[in-house]
Amino acid sequence: MPVLPVGSHPSRLAANERLRGAMVAANVTIEALADHLGIDPKSVDRWLNSDRTPHARNAEAAAKFLGADAYHLWPKLGERRRSTPTAQDEVVACYPMRSTVPYGLWRSTLAGATRVIDLAVSNLLFLADTVWDLPTLLADKSAAGVRVRIVAPENPAGPVTGLGDVFPSLLSVPGLRLSTHPGLRADMMRADDDLLVTTPFDGLTPALAPVLHLRRLGSAPMVGGYLATLDHLYATATPTRPVASHLRAVAA
């Protein structure tokens, strides 16, 4: 029997034909959507075969994955009581330390960005090991019109040395904003409305600190605070300016 792309009840008319159509158009199965959202496939099946509306966080993430509008897929989403999202609503997951974050989450989060990528990274080597094709991915995103900013700690040997040693090819990517900051002690990765943030405190290195996976919901207070911090960080960082003649010689 062939595997159905969506819906596990072929004899029953799905209650949500908009969601079914979006999944068929995107060639996404129930299992694939559930895996992307980190939920049980039975939940996605219920969305298809009943009038159940998912939590706003899952609805927005599912719609983004399918290239659709959440309020089109679930019209009742807009009928729910309108209240200010709480910090708890923004938390997608919490991991006890960096090594417990699913390995592919770092790259898949960046790969899904369509508007903004911000990297404030205290450990460039960790990022290089985790996202092996990071320079290519960021170059492609920048070429596609995504705003990409990277800030790293200052290196005693020079402002460009740290970034240049770990990601030399990034120095020649047009439109990429590279900078350094002396006060960078934690890690924060933003891709559109998703953030992965380490939360170290005195005596605890970022590698051993808990990691929050956050997703912005409207004027959500927690993500809003982190985004304001990111903007301040970039505003007070020192831009890196690789020597243009050297880059031309390498390219040649």
Side-chain angles (χ1 to χ4, degrees), residues 52-57 59 75-83:
R52 182 167 300 185
T53 299
H55 188 282
R57 181 174 61 230
K76 291 184 179 180
L77 198 63
E79 298 173 8
R80 290 181 171 178
R81 63 182 180 88
R82 300 186 180 276
S83 60

Side-chain angles (χ1 to χ4, degrees), residues 7-248:
S8 58
H9 304 283
S11 62
R12 184 172 67 193
L13 182 64
N16 193 334
E17 291 297 339
R18 292 182 178 183
L19 176 58
R20 174 182 290 274
M23 292 176 69
V24 170
N27 196 27
V28 172
T29 64
I30 285 177
E31 291 73 18
L33 182 56
D35 182 65
H36 177 76
L37 299 175
I39 62 176
D40 192 308
K42 292 180 181 178
S43 296
V44 179
D45 186 75
R46 285 192 289 268
W47 298 347
L48 277 166
N49 297 298
S50 73
D51 61 353
R52 182 167 300 185
T53 299
H55 188 282
R57 181 174 61 230
N58 284 332
E60 291 288 353
K64 180 178 179 180
F65 186 59
L66 298 172
D69 179 78
Y71 291 92
H72 172 75
L73 298 180
W74 294 283
K76 291 184 179 180
L77 198 63
E79 298 173 8
R80 290 181 171 178
R81 63 182 180 88
R82 300 186 180 276
S83 60
T84 302
T86 66
Q88 184 176 353
D89 294 328
E90 302 170 77
V91 180
V92 177
C94 181
Y95 305 95
M97 63 183 66
R98 195 165 64 193
S99 62
T100 62
V101 178
Y103 189 78
L105 182 61
W106 303 95
R107 190 190 186 284
S108 64
T109 302
L110 290 174
T114 59
R115 304 187 316 275
V116 177
I117 289 177
D118 285 332
L119 298 175
V121 187
S122 65
N123 189 328
L124 292 169
L125 290 175
F126 154 72
L127 196 60
D129 291 340
T130 305
V131 187
W132 59 271
D133 62 340
L134 184 69
T136 301
L137 190 156
L138 294 182
D140 290 344
K141 290 292 182 181
S142 183
V146 177
R147 188 199 71 186
V148 181
R149 301 185 298 183
I150 303 175
V151 61
E154 284 188 346
N155 190 300
V160 181
T161 306
L163 286 165
D165 286 345
V166 182
F167 301 119
S169 62
L170 289 181
L171 299 177
S172 60
V173 175
L176 211 68
R177 301 189 207 176
L178 304 175
S179 55
T180 60
H181 198 288
L184 188 58
R185 297 292 182 269
D187 299 318
M188 192 184 312
M189 185 180 82
R190 177 196 180 187
D192 293 343
D193 294 327
D194 281 76
L195 274 71
L196 287 169
V197 184
T198 63
T199 56
F201 50 90
D202 275 351
L204 189 66
T205 65
L208 298 177
V211 178
L212 295 176
H213 181 187
L214 307 174
R215 182 168 295 134
R216 180 169 62 175
L217 294 174
S219 57
M222 185 182 296
V223 172
Y226 278 118
L227 295 184
T229 299
L230 270 176
D231 286 338
H232 175 74
L233 192 65
Y234 286 110
T236 56
T238 302
T240 60
R241 292 185 174 85
V243 180
S245 60
H246 172 70
L247 295 177
R248 285 196 295 270

